[in-house]
Every structure is written in C-alpha cells, then in structure tokens.
Amino acid sequence: MIGCPEKERTDRTVRRLRTRLAGALVSVLALALTATGCRGGGDASGGARTAPAVAVADRVEPLTGTAAPRLPVTVTSADGRKVTVAGARRIVPLSGSLSEIVFTLGLGDRVVARDITATFAQARKLPVVTRNHDVSAESVLSLRPDLVLAETTSGPDEAMAQIRAAGVPVLVVRPAASLADVGPRIRAVAGALGVPDAGERLTERSQRRIDAVRKAIPAHADHPRVAFLYLRGSASVYLIGGAESGATSLIEAAGGVDAGAASGLTKDFTAITTEALAKAAPDAILVMSKGLESVGGMDGLVKIPGVAQTPAGMNRRVVSVEDGVLLNYGPRTDQVLRSLVTQLYGDGTGAGR
C-alpha cells in the first residue's frame, strides 16, 4: 500500500475517529483498507440525492451567570494523574466535544484554540492546533495555554508529553460512549475549571432537555431496528456498528433497537457484508451526514452490497446527523436526539416542544 495517499490520510485520522465514534476503529479500518486497496469511492456525485439531516443548531447555548473560576484546584485526570489547575484564562480543548462543554459553561471567552472537530459557530474563528487530526504540540505551546483539556485518545503521545514537559497542566477526560456520560464529562470539565456549580446547572439542564425529548416519543410508536453505519466512500471504508460503537444508547433513547448489537455484533465496528446486513435487518439506517455524502447520498448508499435488500434500503429510510455532534454526548445531545426522533417518526411526535 506504499504510495496510497488515501490510506495515509486515513491512518493519520484513526486516533481522532476513535474519540468521535466512541470505539476502536484502528484494526477495522486497517482490515478494510487492506481488503479494498486504494479504490476511490468518490464524494457525492452529481445528481445523487442526499437525504437532508434535521439540523442541530450550529451554535451552543451558554449558561448565564457563571461565576468566575475559583482556582487553584487539584483534580484526578482520567489517566490517573493528579492535575493542579492554577489558572484558566487560556484554555485549549483538544476535541470538539470538550470545546462545546467549555463554551456552554459560559467560559468560551477563555478558549484560545480549537481542535479541527470544533465546528460550532462560536469556536469557528479560533486557530486550529491539530494537523490531520493529530495534536501539534508546537501550535498548542505557541498560544501559552494555562490548561489543556484532552481525551484519553488525544495524541500522538509524543505531542502530549511535550506539552506536559513544558509545564502546562493537561486534564484528560474519558471519551463519551453513551447518554450516561453527559453528566460526568460536564462535571469533570467544570471541576477542573473551578466552576463546579455551573457544571451541576449544565448537567441538570442537559438531562432535563434529554428527558423532554424522550417523553415526547409517541407511546404507540414502533421500535424500529436502526443500524449505525460508518461510511467513508473515498477510502472504501464501510462499517456497521455493534454493541460498542457508541450509538446504542442514542438509538435506544429514541425508542429504537440497535440492529447491529441485536444481531450479535459485540465489537465496536465490523466491515459491512451482505450477510451482516441481512442478519441485522434494519428498518432504518443511521449515518453521519458527511459519510452519506461520501458514498453519493441515498442513491449511492443503496448500491453498497446488501443495503438495498434491507427494509431500510427498500424504503429508503435513512437518518442523517452532522458528524461533529452525533456521538458527542454533551450539551447539544438533546438536539441530536430530537433530530433522530423526528427523522424516525416524523414531525408529528412533538419531540422537544
């Protein structure tokens, strides 16, 4: 595979994909690329129809009245280190999800840089400190941060070590995998920033909004089998999510059944086969919007072997949510859930009203 630029780009993004998909994609991506070579799937082709996603707001909604951080504090990082935070005036979050939490806590004016996955409006003009999804230690340190927020999958390790060696506190937060992670991640970030009360308020607000969406699902609604597919047509990567994909909690909260997990897929992701799709028998397919575009929209999706033979393919029933928020499990998760519910059941659900 020497000289295959698509594979090289994919290899560089694997670490970030692990965080964004809440699962280990390394071995699956490697196997998929080995099996398919460098065949280009291409992006959305002219004339292909792409099912529109029900939009999640492009802006976060900050809390009001957040008190000034009370520092210093010493907290335990997810990597087991004790981290003392003496100041939080120049914060660098190394994932879109962590950026979203800081901004929603009302401390966005203290964020001096962003990861490439932080695409919401308030963060968009900040300098990017990742290259091909890898952290650039030089870029981070040039901004003189007094706190770096990272995921356990942030890397490469050498870059993280260089940041720590420069004396910058690094708080590591466990990646999100389910709705149950919303509160703990908010509290972890809020505690490190010296605003625990704001963390509790945001946790309560987020849970209340999620509960409101769930209560609005009609009692008579069916329980559709929903398969989460990870698609990157340009790299010929076509995967179906299993029990560890990170999507199960979201699908179940919307009143559905994770078709991949229910069919016996226990891993995070498995290469799509006609047999796997037939066994999963999804009534609907959940995808990231850019993934759907990468295979040529709905018309391209049903050309993937096995898709057209599923109930979802025959009925062209696809749920599409923006890549940057689908599995964040953060302050905008209620909007993601509302989008999923609306696309599954139609506008008559009243979800979130």
Side-chain angles (χ1 to χ4, degrees):
M1 299 298 293
I2 294 175
C4 173
E6 192 62 60
K7 180 180 186 300
E8 292 171 1
R9 284 193 294 271
T10 302
D11 288 343
R12 288 194 299 265
T13 65
V14 163
R15 185 181 294 272
R16 182 62 61 207
L17 286 171
R18 286 173 60 98
T19 297
R20 291 170 63 188
L21 296 179
L25 286 171
V26 177
S27 58
V28 175
L29 282 171
L31 287 172
L33 286 167
T34 299
T36 59
C38 285
R39 295 197 306 270
D43 290 331
S45 58
R49 293 190 296 120
T50 300
V54 177
V56 174
D58 188 43
R59 302 179 62 85
V60 299
E61 182 186 346
L63 291 174
T64 58
T66 298
R70 298 182 62 180
L71 300 171
V73 296
T74 298
V75 293
T76 302
S77 185
D79 58 3
R81 293 181 171 91
K82 293 288 186 180
V83 178
T84 298
V85 181
R89 294 187 178 278
R90 300 184 64 81
I91 306 166
V92 176
L94 293 179
S95 78
S97 177
L98 293 174
S99 292
E100 185 175 321
I101 292 173
V102 177
F103 272 85
T104 312
L105 284 169
L107 301 177
D109 59 339
R110 296 166 179 258
V111 178
V112 297
R114 69 180 178 93
D115 168 72
I116 195 171
T117 62
T119 58
F120 55 92
Q122 293 100 317
R124 198 172 296 139
K125 293 184 179 179
L126 291 170
V128 177
V129 292
T130 49
R131 298 172 183 168
N132 298 316
H133 299 288
D134 280 346
V135 177
S136 167
E138 294 79 7
S139 297
V140 171
L141 295 174
S142 71
L143 294 165
R144 298 176 289 107
D146 50 21
L147 176 63
V148 168
L149 300 173
E151 308 269 0
T152 56
T153 50
S154 298
D157 293 340
E158 295 80 6
M160 302 307 297
Q162 186 176 343
I163 294 169
R164 289 189 178 93
V168 179
V170 177
L171 177 78
V172 177
V173 181
R174 296 187 188 282
S178 73
L179 285 167
D181 294 322
V182 173
R185 282 170 60 84
I186 290 173
R187 292 188 183 100
V189 173
L193 295 178
V195 290
D197 291 344
E200 291 300 325
R201 287 170 53 209
L202 181 55
T203 296
E204 189 277 332
R205 187 186 84 175
S206 299
Q207 189 61 55
R208 183 177 68 250
R209 292 180 175 182
I210 290 170
D211 290 343
V213 178
R214 298 183 72 170
K215 289 177 182 177
I217 300 172
H220 65 273
D222 61 351
H223 296 281
R225 293 172 64 88
V226 182
F228 175 41
L229 304 187
Y230 178 76
L231 310 171
R232 281 299 180 264
S234 56
S236 297
V237 174
Y238 311 105
L239 309 173
I240 180 171
E244 301 298 323
S245 73
T248 302
S249 177
L250 190 64
I251 291 170
E252 291 179 348
V257 175
D258 186 334
S263 70
L265 298 178
T266 58
K267 297 193 303 180
D268 40 25
F269 290 90
T270 302
I272 290 175
T273 63
T274 300
E275 293 76 15
L277 284 173
K279 190 173 182 180
D283 300 304
I285 290 173
L286 172 63
V287 292
M288 293 181 176
S289 54
K290 289 183 180 178
L292 184 59
E293 292 171 6
S294 79
V295 297
M298 186 70 225
D299 291 340
L301 177 62
V302 295
K303 293 178 183 178
I304 296 174
V307 171
Q309 288 71 47
T310 65
M314 288 186 281
N315 295 314
R316 300 173 76 87
R317 192 178 183 188
V318 174
V319 176
S320 174
V321 179
E322 291 91 334
D323 299 42
V325 295
L326 176 58
L327 297 181
N328 270 3
Y329 290 116
R332 286 190 291 172
T333 293
D334 65 294
Q335 297 179 43
V336 174
L337 183 59
R338 184 183 306 119
S339 176
L340 178 55
V341 168
T342 300
Q343 292 182 77
L344 280 176
Y345 307 112
D347 293 331
T349 63
R353 293 178 186 172

